[in-house]
Amino acid sequence: MTGPLSTLSRALEELADTTADWAVDLLRRTAGEMGTALDRDAMRDVEGAAEWRDLAPKEQRYATAHS
């Protein structure tokens, strides 16, 4: 295609690519922020755990704290 319509087509393709890139970046950033927030909230909800993935059984935590 030649003329103004071919330029418009390329401009629309570039707009679609730019919008898609922006949306993907936003979704990835949001997913990372949500994952961090969920980890932080879970860690806060579990008493006595510096890192919630490394929890000791409840009995061991209380035995250590009261010894």
Side-chain angles (χ1 to χ4, degrees):
M1 185 185 296
T2 60
L5 290 179
S6 66
T7 304
L8 178 62
S9 177
R10 282 193 294 268
L12 286 174
E13 286 177 15
E14 186 174 328
L15 175 63
D17 286 344
T18 302
T19 303
D21 289 344
W22 171 79
V24 167
D25 181 54
L26 182 63
L27 287 170
R28 286 183 178 149
R29 221 173 338 129
T30 302
E33 290 170 2
M34 288 175 68
T36 300
L38 285 171
D39 283 352
R40 185 186 59 241
D41 291 348
M43 190 168 38
R44 187 187 60 222
D45 290 343
V46 176
E47 64 180 303
E51 174 60 46
W52 74 273
R53 291 177 184 91
D54 297 327
L55 291 178
K58 181 178 173 182
E59 295 76 23
Q60 290 178 1
R61 284 191 315 228
Y62 288 125
T64 306
H66 297 294
S67 297

